[in-house]
Amino acid sequence: MSKVTSVIEELVTPILEELKLELVDIEFLKEGRNWFLRVYIDTPEGGIDIDQCAIVSERLSVVLDEKDPIEQNYYLEVSSPGAERPLKKESDFEKAVGKFIYVKTYEPIKDMKEFQGYLKAYNEHDIELEVRIKTRKINITIEKEKIAKARLAIDFSS
């Protein structure tokens, strides 16, 4: 996590705790000539509305104006992580067991680096995915340290 996102996490966490919301992800990136600070939030049950995003945005804006932790000009966006929510924390993976997910790995596993399938099991060391290859369903175990990216996905095959 970059220095900026770490600082923003410290600043936004008390706001989210007070509102009983959870932090999903923080991005600070440049797109074209503009910088964007994106804060993705959700409820523990899943599902956030625009009013909750607006409240967090307003409160975080006040704190950011006071602390001024970012040198460059940027746009602040507070939003839902969407249907394809990233899986980063232990609790994200635990909640995703039984759901359809996308995983990209740092190195090939069975000659592939991208997988889509149902998360069958999760522990502190690895995950087990049931993936479909042509007409067969197989289980693949992926060590957690080999996961570059993971997120919920939408299953269009059924």
Side-chain angles (χ1 to χ4, degrees):
M1 193 180 277
S2 77
K3 182 181 176 200
V4 169
T5 57
S6 296
V7 169
I8 300 308
E9 183 174 358
E10 287 177 27
L11 297 175
V12 76
T13 297
I15 296 167
L16 297 177
E17 286 175 352
E18 180 185 335
L19 297 170
K20 295 181 177 37
L21 300 173
E22 66 179 30
L23 178 64
V24 174
D25 199 9
I26 298 173
E27 296 177 333
F28 184 63
L29 46 95
K30 188 172 187 180
E31 293 179 0
R33 288 191 261 184
N34 298 312
W35 283 91
F36 291 87
L37 173 60
R38 294 191 176 113
V39 179
Y40 298 97
I41 60 173
D42 208 350
T43 60
E45 305 80 38
I48 192 106
D49 64 38
I50 193 142
D51 293 331
Q52 291 167 305
C53 291
I55 290 167
V56 172
S57 180
E58 289 167 10
R59 290 188 184 180
L60 182 55
S61 288
V62 170
V63 173
L64 290 171
D65 288 345
E66 280 176 16
K67 305 286 184 185
D68 199 20
I70 301 173
E71 291 180 20
Q72 49 277 78
N73 292 327
Y74 59 91
Y75 293 97
L76 172 63
E77 297 177 356
V78 176
S79 68
S80 159
E84 295 188 334
R85 170 191 176 129
L87 303 175
K88 295 192 170 208
K89 299 179 268 188
E90 303 283 325
S91 60
D92 295 338
F93 282 94
E94 289 167 6
K95 290 181 204 172
V97 171
K99 295 184 179 174
F100 195 75
I101 69 170
Y102 164 86
V103 176
K104 184 173 184 174
T105 58
Y106 290 113
E107 58 190 56
I109 298 170
K110 297 193 184 241
D111 297 324
M112 298 186 303
K113 288 178 73 174
E114 295 186 56
F115 303 88
Q116 287 193 45
Y118 286 92
L119 182 59
K120 291 299 187 183
Y122 167 81
N123 64 49
E124 62 188 65
H125 304 292
D126 51 43
I127 66 170
E128 183 181 335
L129 277 181
E130 179 186 272
V131 299
R132 177 172 286 197
I133 298 179
K134 296 186 180 179
T135 58
R136 292 185 7 228
K137 289 182 182 177
I138 63 167
N139 287 349
I140 295 177
T141 300
I142 303 171
E143 295 172 44
K144 279 181 44 185
E145 64 265 5
K146 293 183 180 177
I147 297 173
K149 182 180 197 178
R151 62 173 167 75
L152 294 178
I154 299 169
D155 184 1
F156 290 107
S157 67
S158 44

